Structure formats: C-alpha cells, structure tokens
Amino acid sequence: MRAPLAFTEPMVRSVAVAAFSVLVSFLLAMAGALGHWSTSTAGPLTASATVVVGSPCSSPSPEQVRFDDEGTERTVPLDACGHAEGEIVEISIGSNETAHLVTANVGTTFDARPIGVVLMICAGIAGAAAADFLRRPRPKPGRERTSAALSARPGRAGRPG
C-alpha cells in the first residue's frame, strides 16, 4: 500500500505560482481582447471616402482617397490595395496623414479573438508548467532509475517486473 501524498512546501509554492500565472495571463488576454490597450487620448478621424486612384495589390504605389474634412476636401494616401476608382470606403486618419480602412471586406466573418484568448490562457498554463519543471530538483548523477537498474538490485531476483 502506498503512503498518502504529502503536500510539501515546494509543491504548494509551485501550485500557487501556476495559479498566479494562469490568472495573470487570463487578465491580460481579456484586457487585450476587449481593446483596452489604446494609449491615444483622442480617437482618430473617421469618415467616408471615395477612392480617387486605385491600384492592384501587386503595385508599389499607394491608393489615394478623397474625403470631406469639416468643409474642405482632402486627398490622402490609403494603406490598402485592390479598390476600384469611385468606390466608397470607411477610413480613419491618425496623426501620420495616411488613411487606414475602418472595415475591410475580405469575404469572411470569422472573429478570431476568442481563440486568441484561449491560446493566451494555454500559454500561461504552459509557462507555469515549464517554470515548475525547471524548479524541480534534479536526480543526483550516477543514480540511474531505469527498469533494468531496478530489477538488477539485490533481493529482486525472480520477481516479475
């Protein structure tokens, strides 16, 4: 009969470190999934724009869009490709005077953020397991713990393995 499992201080500490790691990774993943990483105090300007110069995705030249900015028409480069001239797109403009698409129609509606949250939690658990594995005491050199070495010990002859 085996002795009951005794909880030692290092075991309790490693379980606490693993639980803390899982909790921190879950909180960081949720904060990232909910979009709380913005450092900007003012939101970017968003508007509907018309593509003035379209370019294929194989072309190095940027597309140009024209939009109305409080009564004045502005033309700025768009960091996208594959739009037709005259197409209406929703853009946002930050501080670098380049337009970014607000929404991109790529033919799919799959949102991968929940999968990202699950993968972040799994990464936290894996990190905690790796830290626990690295903290475990190593066996002393010269003491092999193989089945052949255990069966060759005196007093074990004739017993099935």
Side-chain angles (χ1 to χ4, degrees):
M1 183 170 207
R2 282 192 171 166
L5 182 63
F7 292 106
T8 62
E9 184 180 336
M11 182 185 294
V12 171
R13 188 179 303 138
S14 66
V15 169
V17 168
F20 179 74
S21 175
V22 169
L23 178 67
V24 167
S25 66
F26 177 75
L27 291 176
L28 288 175
M30 290 307 295
L34 298 176
H36 291 291
W37 291 111
S38 176
T39 58
S40 174
T41 56
L45 170 69
T46 57
S48 288
T50 305
V51 177
V52 181
V53 177
S55 67
C57 292
S58 61
S59 172
S61 62
E63 293 186 346
Q64 300 285 323
V65 292
R66 181 178 297 133
F67 69 100
D68 183 35
D69 184 14
E70 298 176 0
T72 60
E73 278 198 357
R74 290 178 48 196
T75 301
V76 295
L78 176 66
D79 68 346
C81 63
H83 294 96
E85 291 182 20
E87 185 178 346
I88 306 293
V89 292
E90 292 294 317
I91 61 166
S92 69
I93 298 181
S95 61
N96 62 354
E97 294 298 317
T98 299
H100 309 283
L101 287 177
V102 173
T103 58
N105 185 9
V106 293
T108 183
T109 58
F110 179 68
D111 186 12
R113 278 183 288 182
I115 294 172
V117 170
V118 170
L119 290 176
M120 282 292 293
I121 292 170
C122 290
I125 292 170
D132 180 50
F133 180 74
L134 292 174
R135 288 178 46 106
R136 287 186 182 176
R138 309 252 187 314
K140 294 184 179 176
R143 301 185 82 187
E144 260 185 69
R145 305 286 301 181
T146 63
S147 60
L150 291 175
S151 63
R153 288 189 351 211
R156 303 248 327 151
R159 292 187 186 169

